[in-house]
Amino acid sequence: MAKGLQGFLWTMLLLFCAIQELGSWAMHTAVEGPGLGEPGDPALLASGRVKRGWVWNQFFVVEEYTGTEPLYVGKIHSDSDEGDGSIKYTISGEGAGTIFLIDEITGDIHATERLDREQKTFYTLRAQARDRQTDQLLEPESEFIIKVQDINDSEPRFLEGPYIGSVAELSPIGTSVMQVMASDADDPTYGSSARVVYSVLEGEQHFTVDSKTGVIRTAVADLDRETQDRYEVVIRATDMAGQLGGLSGSTTVTIVVTDVNDNPPRFPQKMYQFSIVETAPVGTAIGRVKAEDSDVGENTDMTYQVKDEEGVEMFKVTTDSNTQEAVITVQKPLDYESKKVHTVVVEALNKFVDPRFVDLGTFRDQTIVRVSVLDVDEPPEFRPPSNLMEVQEDAHVGSVVGVVTALDPDTANHPVRYAIDRSTDAERIFDIDAKTGAIVTGKVLDRETAGWHNITVLAMEADNHSQVSRASLRIRILDVNDNPPELATPYEAAVCEDAKPGQLIQTISVVDRDEPQSGHRFYFTLAPEATNNHHFSLLDIQDNTAAVHTQRVGFNRQEQDVYLLPILVVDSGPPALSSTGTLTIRVCGCDSNGAIQSCNSTAYVVSATLSPGALIALLVCVLILVVLILLILTLKRHHKSHLTSEDDEDMRDNVIKYNDEGGGEQDTEAYDMSALRSLYDFSEIKAGDGGGGPGEGGPGRNPASELHALPQWVQSPDLDFSVFRDYICRKVEQADEDLSVPPYDSFQTYAFEGSDSPVPSLSSINTWSSGSEQDFSYLGGWGPRFRQLAALYAGRRGEEDSEES
């Protein structure tokens, strides 16, 4: 059938081309005018003929030609062509010479290649008519168009796929899901090749599509996501408006059915069973249950609650937001002996309910949870749980304070033993009977020292001491009147010398360490030893205070400057206790307004006794003072001895100052040699020639003998100079270290050397010879002034010669 349809199409195309060919031959002579050619062009004018032009219709060529011969397109012809072949036709432009060929003689144009209108819809070319002999233009170059004729060779295509849409479940019929669109590459202006219509190939039971717009809609109202959550619908697009012979394309559309809350929660079981030990603390999780919901997302969110009264009291249900499970926890302590099994009704309901589906049923469900309590060995329990006891502070040791009772809650009912946690009663003030639980006093009690005692009592099974219970017990010590009242402070008062009778001097109050239940009541009176007192009176004000008033006119400090008033204070008992306190009253001088000006210093009574702490502090201060004094004296003595030793060692040389050059070694009058010889006894040893005696020094001696006749200090064998050597070395080190101390040597300054000497320089700086190679014999000819110098150098030369020999 497809081959027959294709042959029919080609027949129609050939018929159309034949009609076009006949039209292209219908030419006529154009009206002469200036626009058809250039005026005066010799190629266009011949022997006075009028100017002529091209005339042809638009050319068409059918696309997708599959014949073996070139496809005839049309003919170009000039009205000046007489058919003798003298005119040559040529074309240029798009496809000229490749796609389109022209017969130069006849002007027939043929298409040599298969054309596709979807790639190029028309071609623009230019035609020329030339004289074959001269190659001159006979007609002006003219532009023409070859249009590619469309055929239905492109099927519709869905370019925006893949397509995915969604629709809520239980949507009504006709609910729009999405829109699909197909495009056709054929020419929409020619025929029906590009007119597309839509239809459903697969999935028409549940969805429809609009044939013109491509909108997909639901075809049923009972789409159920829980049954099928997605559909694959195949949509077909056909061109030629769906007529016979049209081409078609298809695409698959995925339609996802979204969830709505149309399913209530359901428990998989109608009863659940859990067990837990009776000692489980409050908040312990017993178990988890979960209601199933076919919906997804937030439509599965649910809450759980306990419906029965017993379950609400004993258990608590919470929702795990991650797993949507009901977590059952203990809300009150469990007791196996009281109840072994608990029944709890748990209800699950959706958190978000869609009102559109309320008529589908109740969106909740219930189940029964049975909780079995397991028995364990529990420690004893105190009964009753009272934790307050009272005892009089004057109770004898061993008196019973109270009895605690504890029972084993287990069925076995083991015997119980008692003890006191000694960390709460380290002083062992109380004891307890291990079997009966009776608490007795272990020491004498004193409420004023400790009015309350908090102890911890232990109760344990007799056979298993690891099962221990603890109970805190508060014991209050009841007061007994065992402390007499006392004056609040050591009262001291002052009275003016010119005081009048009945003047208030002092108000007195008392303190009592006891705390009677009915409150304090004190009575004041003067002590019996003050019965002969005519100076002051005491008035009980009846509010636990008393007032002291003057009873005479005026007082005289010269006669008596201090009065001691004994006061007796009695409490209300029972038994009534009393004490006597003394009020010290000083007589003072006052001004006219009653302001105290001066009081006798003897009015102050200083206690002659000191507390042990004060005595210790005083002794420590005295000891520290003595140590400081001894330390200061020691430092001063050490410093003084150090200065004395330095003064003893400060021995200075005899410095002789002189400003003349002197007469050399023979000048013994420049300074007193006795000052140097007075410390030690030295011998002068002179070595001379010819048996010269000591002290002799005539001019007949030679310089060498004079040189050896110089004084030589020889240490006596019985003298020890190590002390002086150490002293000199120490002084040298001190002088080297302290640059600011001037030396004690003699320092001479010579500012004038004298006139020039006729003798050359004696320095050995400018000579290359050593001292041993020089001859100083010429010094003897310089005269008597250089005699000593000649003797020194001559003697040195002689010593060197003797050493060498």
Side-chain angles (χ1 to χ4, degrees):
M1 180 178 178
K3 292 183 178 180
L5 179 60
Q6 186 176 4
F8 172 77
L9 291 176
W10 281 116
T11 303
M12 295 298 293
L13 287 176
L14 291 176
L15 179 60
F16 175 77
C17 291
I19 296 173
Q20 183 179 3
E21 181 71 15
L22 293 176
S24 64
W25 282 98
M27 299 181 181
H28 61 275
T29 301
V31 179
E32 183 179 1
L36 301 177
E38 293 295 335
D41 190 347
L44 301 178
L45 301 176
S47 63
R49 289 192 310 161
V50 292
K51 190 175 177 182
R52 302 179 183 276
W54 308 95
V55 177
W56 57 68
N57 294 329
Q58 188 177 24
F59 295 114
F60 293 90
V61 60
V62 67
E63 67 171 336
E64 302 296 341
Y65 174 69
T66 57
T68 57
E69 297 294 331
L71 178 62
Y72 179 76
V73 178
K75 175 190 286 289
I76 61 174
H77 186 73
S78 174
D79 56 359
S80 60
D81 187 1
E82 297 179 354
D84 55 0
S86 61
I87 297 177
K88 180 176 69 174
Y89 296 98
T90 61
I91 58 174
S92 63
E94 297 177 338
T98 57
I99 300 175
F100 302 102
L101 299 178
I102 187 171
D103 190 322
E104 295 180 352
I105 299 175
T106 63
D108 293 334
I109 300 174
H110 291 81
T112 61
E113 295 183 5
R114 184 177 179 180
L115 303 180
D116 187 359
R117 191 204 65 84
E118 285 71 34
Q119 294 182 358
K120 191 172 182 61
T121 59
F122 63 89
Y123 296 85
T124 302
L125 296 94
R126 292 176 298 277
Q128 293 179 349
R130 292 179 178 272
D131 186 278
R132 189 175 295 276
Q133 299 296 330
T134 63
D135 198 31
Q136 291 184 352
L137 284 174
L138 300 179
E139 298 287 353
E141 185 178 71
S142 178
E143 184 179 276
F144 64 95
I145 294 175
I146 299 176
K147 187 175 182 181
V148 181
Q149 187 68 45
D150 181 49
I151 64 172
N152 189 18
D153 61 341
S154 298
E155 71 278 2
R157 296 178 180 271
F158 293 92
L159 304 179
E160 298 179 0
Y163 293 93
I164 300 177
S166 62
V167 63
E169 63 177 332
L170 301 181
S171 297
I173 297 176
T175 301
S176 176
V177 179
M178 64 179 303
Q179 183 181 17
V180 295
M181 295 186 66
S183 61
D184 196 320
D186 292 328
D187 188 0
T189 63
Y190 179 76
S192 300
S193 299
R195 291 182 58 189
V196 179
V197 294
Y198 303 92
S199 60
V200 179
L201 284 182
E202 296 181 11
E204 64 274 6
Q205 299 88 353
H206 302 92
F207 300 95
T208 61
V209 64
D210 190 292
S211 61
K212 295 182 179 180
T213 62
V215 176
I216 302 174
R217 302 179 185 275
T218 58
V220 294
D222 58 352
L223 292 177
D224 187 8
R225 188 203 64 81
E226 289 73 30
T227 303
Q228 184 174 350
D229 60 351
R230 67 177 55 225
Y231 293 87
E232 303 291 338
V233 181
V234 179
I235 304 297
R236 180 175 62 184
T238 306
D239 59 10
M240 298 297 292
Q243 298 178 4
L244 184 64
L247 302 179
S248 64
S250 63
T251 186
T252 300
V253 179
T254 302
I255 301 177
V256 179
V257 180
T258 59
D259 184 59
V260 296
N261 193 7
D262 59 338
N263 293 280
R266 291 289 181 265
F267 284 103
Q269 301 175 211
K270 288 303 179 181
M271 178 177 291
Y272 295 86
Q273 291 189 357
F274 298 100
S275 60
I276 188 170
V277 296
E278 61 176 335
T279 56
V282 173
T284 303
I286 300 174
R288 292 171 175 247
V289 297
K290 182 179 181 180
E292 303 294 340
D293 194 328
S294 301
D295 297 322
V296 294
E298 68 175 10
N299 295 324
T300 62
D301 293 348
M302 60 187 71
T303 57
Y304 299 89
Q305 59 186 4
V306 179
K307 295 300 294 181
D308 61 309
E309 295 181 359
E310 179 188 356
V312 170
E313 182 181 359
M314 298 298 298
F315 303 98
K316 181 181 179 181
V317 176
T318 58
T319 304
D320 189 332
S321 59
N322 296 324
T323 62
Q324 296 301 315
E325 292 177 319
V327 182
I328 305 172
T329 57
V330 178
Q331 185 164 280
K332 290 183 64 177
L334 303 174
D335 187 11
Y336 171 82
E337 289 72 25
S338 299
K339 192 170 185 178
K340 299 178 177 58
V341 178
H342 296 269
T343 302
V344 184
V345 178
V346 178
E347 182 180 65
L349 63 157
N350 278 131
K351 186 181 295 185
F352 306 104
V353 178
D354 195 333
R356 296 177 299 172
F357 308 106
V358 174
D359 56 347
L360 297 179
T362 58
F363 285 79
R364 61 183 63 198
D365 193 20
Q366 293 182 353
T367 188
I368 297 176
V369 178
R370 290 174 56 87
V371 180
S372 299
V373 181
L374 303 179
D375 185 27
V376 295
D377 190 8
E378 299 176 273
E381 295 180 357
F382 286 92
R383 298 177 184 176
S386 176
N387 60 350
L388 176 62
M389 293 184 180
E390 296 178 347
V391 61
Q392 296 284 345
E393 65 174 323
D394 59 348
H396 299 289
V397 175
S399 300
V400 176
V401 179
V403 178
V404 294
T405 303
L407 299 177
D408 185 8
D410 297 326
T411 307
N413 194 15
H414 297 96
V416 178
R417 296 293 179 261
Y418 302 93
I420 294 178
D421 186 353
R422 289 305 173 185
S423 63
T424 61
D425 184 26
E427 298 180 2
R428 295 184 174 271
I429 299 176
F430 301 97
D431 292 322
I432 189 171
D433 189 288
K435 294 182 178 181
T436 63
I439 299 176
V440 298
T441 58
K443 289 185 178 181
V444 177
L445 305 177
D446 185 11
R447 190 205 62 84
E448 287 71 30
T449 303
W452 288 88
H453 295 273
N454 297 320
I455 64 175
T456 300
V457 179
L458 308 178
M460 63 200 78
E461 294 182 1
D463 300 332
N464 185 6
H465 288 183
S466 62
Q467 296 295 331
V468 181
S469 295
R470 298 173 179 268
S472 297
L473 185 63
R474 301 170 65 242
I475 301 177
R476 181 170 62 183
I477 309 301
L478 300 179
D479 184 45
V480 174
N481 192 23
D482 57 349
N483 294 281
E486 299 176 352
L487 294 181
T489 60
Y491 287 101
E492 292 186 2
V495 63
C496 296
E497 288 183 301
D498 57 351
K500 298 178 181 180
Q503 182 176 343
L504 177 64
I505 297 176
Q506 182 70 44
T507 301
I508 298 173
S509 62
V510 298
V511 293
D512 193 335
R513 296 176 61 189
D514 295 322
E515 293 182 359
Q517 296 181 355
S518 58
H520 290 289
R521 178 66 180 94
F522 302 109
Y523 304 94
F524 299 87
T525 183
L526 293 177
E529 57 267 27
T531 54
N532 296 327
N533 169 54
H534 302 290
H535 308 292
F536 305 97
S537 63
L538 181 65
L539 176 62
D540 191 343
I541 307 178
Q542 305 295 324
D543 61 350
N544 293 335
T545 61
V548 178
H549 298 83
T550 57
Q551 205 173 10
R552 56 175 282 187
V553 178
F555 295 87
N556 190 350
R557 282 189 292 173
Q558 302 299 329
E559 297 179 358
Q560 186 175 351
D561 56 358
V562 176
Y563 293 89
L564 300 177
L565 185 64
I567 300 174
L568 179 64
V569 183
V570 183
D571 60 16
S572 58
L577 300 178
S578 64
S579 67
T580 300
T582 301
L583 172 63
T584 303
I585 304 174
R586 294 177 294 155
V587 180
C588 303
C590 303
D591 58 10
S592 58
N593 296 325
I596 297 176
Q597 297 295 323
S598 64
C599 296
N600 199 333
S601 59
T602 59
Y604 296 98
V605 179
V606 179
S607 175
T609 62
L610 293 176
S611 64
L615 290 175
I616 294 174
L618 183 60
L619 290 176
V620 170
C621 292
V622 172
L623 181 61
I624 293 175
L625 183 60
V626 171
V627 171
L628 288 177
I629 293 173
L630 293 177
L631 181 62
I632 292 173
L633 293 176
T634 304
L635 292 176
K636 290 182 66 175
R637 179 174 298 178
H638 177 73
H639 183 65
K640 184 177 180 180
S641 62
H642 180 68
L643 294 177
T644 303
S645 63
E646 287 188 355
D647 292 342
D648 294 342
E649 294 179 358
D650 189 10
M651 300 173 61
R652 300 186 180 184
D653 299 338
N654 184 17
V655 180
I656 306 300
K657 295 184 179 180
Y658 53 94
N659 296 326
D660 54 348
E661 184 176 357
E665 294 181 355
Q666 294 179 353
D667 186 3
T668 61
E669 297 180 356
Y671 55 92
D672 188 5
M673 294 295 293
S674 63
L676 300 177
R677 298 176 180 177
S678 61
L679 296 176
Y680 305 100
D681 187 12
F682 296 100
S683 298
E684 293 185 0
I685 301 176
K686 294 184 179 180
D689 298 336
E696 298 179 357
R701 294 178 299 173
N702 56 29
S705 63
E706 291 181 1
L707 178 64
H708 291 283
L710 293 175
Q712 301 292 328
W713 303 105
V714 180
Q715 178 179 347
S716 177
D718 57 347
L719 296 179
D720 184 10
F721 288 93
S722 61
V723 176
F724 300 98
R725 186 185 303 108
D726 295 341
Y727 172 76
I728 292 172
C729 292
R730 187 166 63 253
K731 287 297 182 180
V732 170
E733 292 178 358
Q734 292 179 359
D736 290 341
E737 294 176 357
D738 189 359
L739 301 179
S740 63
V741 178
Y744 297 130
D745 301 334
S746 176
F747 181 76
Q748 302 298 329
T749 302
Y750 301 92
F752 180 70
E753 182 179 358
S755 61
D756 294 340
S757 175
V759 183
S761 175
L762 298 178
S763 174
S764 62
I765 297 177
N766 296 328
T767 179
W768 293 97
S769 62
S770 63
S772 62
E773 296 175 354
Q774 296 184 20
D775 185 8
F776 299 101
S777 60
Y778 60 88
L779 296 176
W782 286 6
R785 297 189 64 180
F786 295 95
R787 182 182 303 168
Q788 186 70 22
L789 181 64
L792 290 173
Y793 276 87
R796 179 182 179 186
R797 182 68 177 176
E799 291 178 357
E800 292 177 355
D801 294 340
S802 63
E803 290 177 358
E804 292 176 358
S805 62

